[in-house]
Amino acid sequence: MALTVVTGNGYEWRLTERVGSGSEGVVYGVDDARPLVAKLVPAPPDPAAYRRRVARLVRQRREPRTVRLLASIPERVAWPIVAVRTAGTDADGTDAIDGYVMTDMRHTHRPFTHLITPSAPSDSAVRAAGGAPVTRTTWATALAAAHSLARLLAELHAEGYVVGDLKPDNLWVDDRGGIGLADVDSWQFTDGVEVFPGRMATTGYTAPERIGALAGTPPDRTSDDFVLAVLVHQLLMGGLHPFAGHPAGGGDYLSYDDNVLHGRCRLLDRTSVLLPRSAPPVDMLPRRLADLLRAAFGGIRPSAESWAEALAAESAPGRLRTCGVDPLHVHTVERPWCPWCDLAERSDGRRATRATRARGALEEGTRAPTCTAATRKPAGNSPAGSNPAASSPAARNNAARNNAGSGTPERNTPERNTPERNIPERNTPARSNPERKSV
């Protein structure tokens, strides 16, 4: 039977398909000419407190600080428009489910995971699910998304809001890298003298001081700043979580949170974790951003405003380079050759290095390539970014001797010479805090 929700003024909406769900709520489509969805929370810990929270957010929608946040087109925040309750319940309302109606971000955005998950749904699958039209994305798109996220979070902090449960599932992105944010009802905010604390947290996206803390321990801006750094790392490193990896000292991988608590992070200590050869190299990151990430994970967290400034600088003209082989391969100008081509070679089993390609070109009597975006071209019918001459036995042997004699390590190799291992994340809550996820 189709659900119907009603506002306090008696206006009714019919709910359509189920869009998504989390630990507390369920999101449904709304039968309306406007792009709307409704979030229902069947069993909040304190129903009266939840209704008061939503009512205050609806009222704040008309306040100057919120009007400024919602002024952009498309909307960046799925702010509660009106509080609703399910209709057709008992007369005293004891069976009613509370929630609110908000803008449907799928109308102009697609899931944030599209940028950080290698196995993200195909373009056609996203369109079939009602998402915005999809275009091919590049590292420049990811950089733009990181800047947009940092800028939005800085604006929220300036207006007194704390997200608290910042995570990929609550984020959306448009084709230009513009970020949208949902699940406003889980934020921490004040209304007059009343404080509405943030309660939720998610494994892998929780600051260390909140991991294992008592239920209800409130977040703050610095805990948001920690998670922002995690998301920036994932955006710019092909989805790699900064605390991914098996403990190098032995023992089983338990979770991202366990690695966070023990400081197992390649950026902080390259010997602390074992990563597969397919992991992007650290030098894919501009030095300025790598330094900010080390500070964020080492205890001195840059603010969202500082991140926004640094990311804007790295997006400036002249700071990005496009590969001459594949126009979708974009990287920082600090890299002299394309890291994405190198990663593709690794995944294909072709471990040709810069030295090998250069040596192979000399064997053919040609000028050695510089491996920059402007000169790295495919030869003949060989795969993009490869060189047939570099694949000959003579070229490989000569290159091997050349490398051995130089004492120079191969560029772009993993931090440790370890076998490739998959690192699945266990989506489990911290043992002492059962409330770990929200819609």
Side-chain angles (χ1 to χ4, degrees), residues 202-208 211-212 226 230 241-248 250-265 272-275 422-432 436:
T202 298
T203 299
Y205 300 94
T206 304
I211 297 175
F226 178 87
V230 170
H241 194 287
F243 290 90
H246 288 266
D252 294 332
Y253 168 79
L254 298 180
S255 67
Y256 291 142
D257 282 359
D258 182 65
N259 281 356
V260 168
L261 290 175
H262 290 88
R264 302 188 193 107
C265 173
S272 63
V273 291
L274 307 178
L275 289 169
N422 292 325
I423 311 166
E425 169 60 9
R426 298 176 185 172
N427 233 350
T428 56
R431 294 180 175 84
S432 60
R436 305 299 295 171

Side-chain angles (χ1 to χ4, degrees), residues 25-360:
V26 183
V27 177
Y28 295 89
V30 173
D31 186 9
D32 194 276
R34 297 163 293 176
L36 300 174
V37 291
K39 177 178 178 179
L40 300 180
V41 179
D46 184 339
Y50 180 75
R51 287 192 293 272
R52 191 167 63 254
R53 171 186 287 264
V54 171
R56 293 302 180 14
L57 286 171
V58 170
R59 186 175 69 186
Q60 287 191 8
R61 185 182 180 90
R62 299 186 293 273
E63 295 182 358
R65 62 172 177 170
T66 310
V67 170
R68 287 191 292 269
L69 292 172
L70 301 178
S72 62
I73 298 175
E75 287 188 20
R76 297 179 298 168
V77 182
W79 203 276
I81 298 172
V82 62
V84 295
R85 304 189 83 187
T86 53
T89 56
D90 292 345
D92 60 1
T94 54
D95 290 339
I97 301 175
D98 294 296
Y100 59 92
V101 169
M102 58 183 167
T103 298
D104 186 354
M105 300 298 284
R106 297 177 301 166
H107 183 64
T108 52
H109 296 71
R110 61 186 182 275
F112 179 83
T113 51
H114 177 86
L115 287 181
I116 65 170
T117 306
S119 58
S122 65
D123 294 0
S124 59
V126 172
R127 282 193 292 268
V134 173
T135 59
R136 301 293 295 278
T137 58
T138 69
W139 195 76
T141 312
L143 187 63
H147 173 253
S148 176
L149 174 59
R151 172 57 55 201
L152 176 56
L153 188 61
E155 292 179 27
L156 291 174
H157 287 173
E159 299 297 349
Y161 295 104
V162 175
V163 176
D165 193 24
L166 187 62
K167 60 182 179 181
D169 288 349
N170 291 345
L171 296 171
W172 298 81
V173 62
D174 65 23
D175 286 335
R176 298 172 299 168
I179 290 295
L181 187 55
D183 274 12
V184 178
D185 59 318
S186 68
W187 291 4
Q188 179 169 291
F189 65 97
T190 60
D191 188 83
V193 297
E194 187 172 7
V195 177
F196 293 85
R199 301 178 294 104
M200 309 304 295
T202 298
T203 299
Y205 300 94
T206 304
E209 65 273 13
R210 296 191 68 208
I211 297 175
L214 295 175
T217 300
D220 57 24
R221 295 179 186 179
T222 63
S223 57
D224 276 356
D225 292 336
F226 178 87
V227 182
L228 171 62
V230 170
L231 292 168
V232 169
H233 187 284
Q234 287 191 280
L235 282 166
L236 302 185
M237 295 293 280
L240 180 69
H241 194 287
F243 290 90
H246 288 266
D252 294 332
Y253 168 79
L254 298 180
S255 67
Y256 291 142
D257 282 359
D258 182 65
N259 281 356
V260 168
L261 290 175
H262 290 88
R264 302 188 193 107
C265 173
R266 179 176 63 168
L267 275 171
L268 299 179
D269 180 4
R270 61 188 298 174
T271 66
S272 63
V273 291
L274 307 178
L275 289 169
R277 287 190 57 83
S278 59
V282 172
D283 63 357
M284 280 182 62
L285 294 167
R287 287 183 290 273
R288 169 170 28 196
L289 300 186
D291 289 343
L292 286 177
L293 287 167
R294 290 188 180 96
F297 303 142
I300 305 174
R301 298 173 191 167
S303 67
E305 181 65 34
S306 297
W307 272 112
E309 293 174 359
L311 290 161
E314 293 302 329
S315 304
R319 291 298 299 168
L320 297 178
R321 176 177 290 161
T322 301
C323 173
V325 173
D326 188 335
L328 292 179
H329 289 182
V330 179
H331 57 94
T332 175
V333 73
E334 295 176 14
R335 274 297 296 252
W337 67 90
C338 177
W340 304 109
C341 285
D342 286 348
L343 288 172
E345 288 171 356
R346 287 186 197 174
S347 63
D348 291 343
R350 302 190 306 272
R351 297 180 57 186
T353 64
R354 179 172 183 257
T356 304
R357 290 191 293 273
R359 186 68 177 176

Side-chain angles (χ1 to χ4, degrees), residues 409-432:
E410 175 180 312
R411 297 295 301 274
N412 246 359
T413 56
E415 271 55 22
R416 293 177 61 85
N417 187 18
T418 58
E420 180 168 336
R421 300 174 68 182
N422 292 325
I423 311 166
E425 169 60 9
R426 298 176 185 172
N427 233 350
T428 56
R431 294 180 175 84
S432 60

